[in-house]
Amino acid sequence: MNSLTNRPTFPTQSLAHWIQRFFDNDWMAAPATSRLPAALTGDVMPAVNLGETDKEVTVSVELPGLEEKDIDVSWSGNQLCIKAERKFEAEKKEKHYHYVESQYGTFARTLVMPEGLKRDQVDARFKNGVLTLTIPKVEPTPATKVKVKAG
C-alpha cells in the first residue's frame, strides 16, 4: 500500500486477466474511433508518481499529447482530482486506419492526500507532457508549555 493514496501499488488483476480480456474483444471490427480494446480504454490511467519531503508533496502525472487547457485540477475535501480529455484527431478521419493504439477519451484520477497541506498554494506546471503539482505542507505548530498553578 502507498501511504499517500491508501491504494495498492500493484494492479489488482493478473497479467493473464488483461491478456484474456484483450483477445476476447472483437476490437478490429469496431470503427476506427473505438478500436482500442475495452481492456485498455476504461481501466488504464496515466502514470502518477507521488513524492514527499519535509516541506512539500509532489504529484506528477504523465499526459503526453495534451495541452494545459485540456487539464482540470480540483480539490474535494482531502481528495485531489485530476481530469483531462484527449480527443480523437478529427482532421485525420478521412484516413482509413488499419490499427489504432493511441488512447483517447476522458479520464479522471482521484488521490486521497494527507492532512496538513496548503491546498490554496498548489503550484501546477505542465511541461513536455508531464503535469507536476507541488503542494506545500503546513508548518507544524511548536509545542507550548502550559504553566499549572496551585489551587
Side-chain angles (χ1 to χ4, degrees), residues 73 75 80 118-124 132-136:
V73 179
W75 286 96
L80 178 65
K118 296 181 180 178
R119 299 180 342 164
D120 58 338
Q121 296 181 18
V122 176
D123 179 41
T132 303
L133 305 171
T134 305
I135 311 158

Side-chain angles (χ1 to χ4, degrees), residues 1-7 50-52 57-58 111-114:
M1 286 283 211
N2 183 314
S3 64
L4 288 175
T5 63
N6 293 325
R7 290 185 177 190
L50 289 164
E52 182 175 13
V57 171
T58 304
L111 306 170
V112 177
M113 301 303 286

Side-chain angles (χ1 to χ4, degrees), residues 34-150:
S34 64
R35 280 197 182 141
L36 198 59
L40 298 177
T41 55
D43 298 329
V44 173
M45 298 290 173
V48 173
N49 298 310
L50 289 164
E52 182 175 13
T53 67
D54 291 340
K55 297 186 181 212
E56 64 190 19
V57 171
T58 304
V59 179
S60 62
V61 185
E62 296 176 7
L63 300 169
L66 293 177
E67 297 178 23
E68 54 274 359
K69 67 179 176 68
D70 300 323
I71 304 166
D72 178 50
V73 179
S74 62
W75 286 96
S76 177
N78 67 339
Q79 297 180 346
L80 178 65
C81 304
I82 304 167
K83 298 177 186 175
E85 182 176 8
R86 180 178 295 125
K87 296 182 177 155
F88 187 73
E89 297 178 20
E91 64 272 5
K92 294 184 181 179
K93 280 191 176 179
E94 69 274 359
K95 292 182 182 178
H96 176 71
Y97 287 96
H98 294 282
Y99 196 72
V100 176
E101 285 189 343
S102 300
Q103 292 185 29
Y104 51 90
T106 303
F107 82 90
R109 287 294 297 260
T110 301
L111 306 170
V112 177
M113 301 303 286
E115 296 293 326
L117 298 178
K118 296 181 180 178
R119 299 180 342 164
D120 58 338
Q121 296 181 18
V122 176
D123 179 41
R125 303 204 181 247
F126 188 67
K127 182 177 181 184
N128 296 330
V130 178
L131 172 66
T132 303
L133 305 171
T134 305
I135 311 158
K137 291 182 176 180
V138 174
E139 291 82 20
T141 307
T144 55
K145 192 138 179 126
V146 176
K147 186 175 181 176
V148 179
K149 299 177 189 174

